Amino acid sequence: KLGGDIAMGFFLVGGITSLLVGYLTDTGNRCHLFGAVVIFGEASCLATYFVSNYWQLLICRILTGISIGGATPVLFSLLGDLYADSSRVYVSTIVGIASNGGAAAGQLLAGFIGPAFGWRLPFLVISAPAIFCAMLIFSFADEPNRGEQEKEVRAHRQLQHTGNLSTAIASNEISFTSSTTVTNSGYSEKIEWRKLVSLVGTPSVVLILLQGIPGCLPWGMIIVFLNDFFSNEGKMSVEAATATLAAFSVGGFVGQLCGGWLGQRLYNRDPRLQCLLMGLSTLLGVGPMLLLLSGGPSHGLNWSPWAVAVASGALATATGPNVRAVLQNVCLPEIRGTAFALFTLTDDIGKGLGPALVVMFIRVCDGDRRTAFQAIVLSWLLCGGILLLLVATVRTDEARVQSRLREALSNSNAAATLNDNLLTMTASSGSVPVLVSGEGAVLAEDPTAIADVECHHRIKKSK
């Protein structure tokens, strides 16, 4: 029950929560949302310290999943607007390493503190600093502009700095006073239903979502059962089992670091090469994991389980940083939160169903955990095959995103150009306030006329 029910509830609730948080990510202040989500989830973790029965423990652990599932869409939406596509894999790698490092640190704290002070105290020690950090983010972090790091947006911003308005000012055609205010046009698109429909109609997004469940099923087994499996079916001592799992974690660190570095280099050369790396590394990761589960030295095989564990961890984790960056690159900035909510849901379904399916497979196999685990690992073959299909879709989908950005900016730029022209006219003729709306422009003698027009850009010039 501890392995299956709690793990499934933890991940499934986190995945479902991510849908709501994903939509809120695309409509509100993400720094405030991130802080609130983490505070709520970690408060549930802290409450685990005070539970007195199994059902209270179950509820607290399930609610903690809100912090994990809800934070992911917000985090990667923010990162997409803080870093350009030429470095997103590097950033995703750092986040993945930090996340896994935090999980490893939590296990170490539980291992050291639990035997001496009881199993409850680690929940208190881990959750309190997380709540404090979340409060700092909620209170002091600045919200970046959506789309700020997209190629088309950066090119548009550079054009604004060197465009007609700057030329006019430099040639003294326009003279600004301290009472002159200019609101520059930029990327300000909002989430819409038609954009959400286009999201699920984007081939690369669909493939990334489809690979999530088979790709994460083995991780549910690894997280919950693998250490115990090494101790029992693997005939290892507790120390040897822990060391083997630690070797797998070391391999995971190496895989994320090298996979992220290589993936970004390949992407900067050709996005299709990055997708090829993801598919091949996932397919090749099946062999070492099956070998690791086959029994080891107790069955007469001449290999070191630690070396195989490192290789397995490295191949299994190389995809993670890359697939998140690919999803960022094929989605419009205003719907990235929703996209990552769907991504988190499919991942969490896989992680949540993994332990439950293992339990079911164990029953079907008459208690043979080895066969059940090996069957779960084979789902990586399906995952790798789906990732390879991205080679045929990723460039087209990235180009489509940039085309839509360019179209939105061109509409905004048309209004800004009209602003510049009208400002030049009014500067030379002495006309009073100019107001430019999405539909056109108005020159008004009466200030109340300006208030009657819905506008996107307003230029006020004192006489």
Side-chain angles (χ1 to χ4, degrees):
K1 295 180 74 174
L2 287 174
D5 294 349
I6 291 181
M8 183 170 65
F10 180 91
F11 288 116
L12 291 184
V13 169
I16 293 171
T17 301
S18 70
L19 294 177
L20 173 61
V21 175
Y23 179 78
L24 295 175
T25 296
D26 293 328
T27 58
N29 186 297
R30 290 168 289 182
C31 294
H32 290 170
L33 181 62
F34 182 82
V37 166
V38 174
I39 289 170
F40 183 88
E42 293 303 320
S44 302
C45 180
L46 188 147
T48 306
Y49 178 85
F50 302 99
V51 300
S52 58
N53 57 56
Y54 170 77
W55 291 108
Q56 291 176 359
L57 175 63
L58 178 64
I59 292 171
C60 286
R61 299 308 298 147
I62 287 176
L63 291 178
T64 303
I66 294 174
S67 178
I68 304 299
T72 300
V74 191
L75 179 60
F76 281 94
S77 175
L78 282 168
L79 293 176
D81 292 330
L82 289 171
Y83 299 93
D85 58 358
S86 59
S87 59
R88 283 175 182 159
V89 185
Y90 296 148
V91 177
S92 180
T93 300
I94 293 171
V95 171
I97 290 175
S99 177
N100 291 338
Q107 291 177 339
L108 286 174
L109 282 174
F112 284 113
I113 297 176
F117 301 98
W119 64 269
R120 298 174 184 270
L121 187 59
F123 291 99
L124 183 64
V125 172
I126 292 170
S127 60
I131 292 174
F132 176 73
C133 292
M135 292 174 66
L136 292 178
I137 293 172
F138 185 93
S139 302
F140 301 110
D142 293 327
E143 174 79 0
N145 296 325
R146 294 186 194 273
E148 185 75 12
Q149 295 298 328
E150 300 305 314
K151 293 176 183 176
E152 290 294 332
V153 176
R154 285 185 286 133
H156 177 76
R157 187 168 62 245
Q158 184 177 3
L159 182 62
Q160 282 186 316
H161 290 322
T162 59
N164 294 333
L165 187 58
S166 297
T167 303
I169 296 171
S171 61
N172 293 321
E173 294 178 18
I174 302 174
S175 177
F176 286 97
T177 68
S178 59
S179 60
T180 301
T181 303
V182 177
T183 302
N184 289 326
S185 61
Y187 189 76
S188 56
E189 293 293 300
K190 305 297 183 183
I191 186 172
E192 300 173 2
W193 281 110
R194 64 181 179 84
K195 294 178 182 177
L196 293 178
V197 172
S198 71
L199 178 67
V200 296
T202 302
S204 295
V205 174
V206 173
L207 290 173
I208 289 172
L209 296 180
L210 287 177
Q211 64 81 38
I213 295 177
C216 288
L217 282 175
W219 284 105
M221 176 270 295
I222 291 169
I223 293 169
V224 177
F225 295 106
L226 195 57
N227 197 344
D228 181 69
F229 173 83
F230 288 151
S231 298
N232 291 282
E233 282 82 349
K235 307 299 182 183
M236 298 181 184
S237 65
V238 174
E239 293 78 10
T242 302
T244 303
L245 199 60
F248 181 86
S249 299
V250 169
F253 173 81
V254 173
Q256 287 190 83
L257 194 63
C258 296
W261 175 83
L262 181 59
Q264 186 68 73
R265 296 289 296 270
L266 292 174
Y267 172 83
N268 293 343
R269 186 174 178 181
D270 187 332
R272 295 173 296 183
L273 296 177
Q274 179 191 28
C275 298
L276 189 63
L277 171 68
M278 293 191 298
L280 291 178
S281 62
T282 302
L283 292 174
L284 293 174
V286 173
M289 179 55 72
L290 289 178
L291 186 59
L292 198 60
L293 294 170
S294 66
S298 63
H299 283 60
L301 296 179
N302 186 22
W303 52 271
S304 167
W306 294 355
V308 177
V310 169
S312 180
L315 290 169
T317 56
T319 295
N322 290 284
V323 73
R324 291 175 175 84
V326 172
L327 186 58
Q328 286 176 318
N329 295 336
V330 298
C331 292
L332 291 167
E334 65 269 24
I335 56 174
R336 279 199 187 119
T338 303
F340 271 92
L342 294 172
F343 175 78
T344 301
L345 177 62
T346 56
D347 271 18
D348 283 356
I349 288 175
K351 292 175 183 176
L353 287 180
L357 284 177
V358 167
V359 171
M360 183 182 70
F361 281 15
I362 290 173
R363 292 170 182 165
V364 171
C365 298
D366 295 325
D368 185 355
R369 294 205 300 177
R370 191 187 311 276
T371 302
F373 291 179
Q374 290 171 338
I376 290 290
V377 170
L378 292 178
S379 66
W380 273 343
L381 296 175
L382 176 59
C383 174
I386 294 173
L387 288 170
L388 287 177
L389 294 177
L390 285 169
V391 175
T393 65
V394 66
R395 288 186 68 179
T396 302
D397 291 335
E398 282 195 20
R400 185 182 295 113
V401 167
Q402 296 304 314
S403 175
R404 290 175 179 173
L405 289 167
R406 187 162 51 249
E407 180 182 355
L409 289 167
S410 112
N411 293 335
S412 175
N413 193 50
T417 301
L418 184 57
N419 250 349
D420 293 348
N421 294 335
L422 288 172
L423 184 56
T424 302
M425 293 164 51
T426 56
S428 60
S429 65
S431 298
V432 290
V434 178
L435 179 144
V436 179
S437 73
E439 301 298 328
V442 176
L443 295 180
E445 296 284 346
D446 183 1
T448 60
I450 297 176
D452 294 334
V453 182
E454 180 181 358
C455 67
H456 299 299
H457 308 279
R458 180 176 283 110
I459 303 175
K460 294 182 178 179
K461 181 171 173 61
S462 63
K463 288 186 177 179

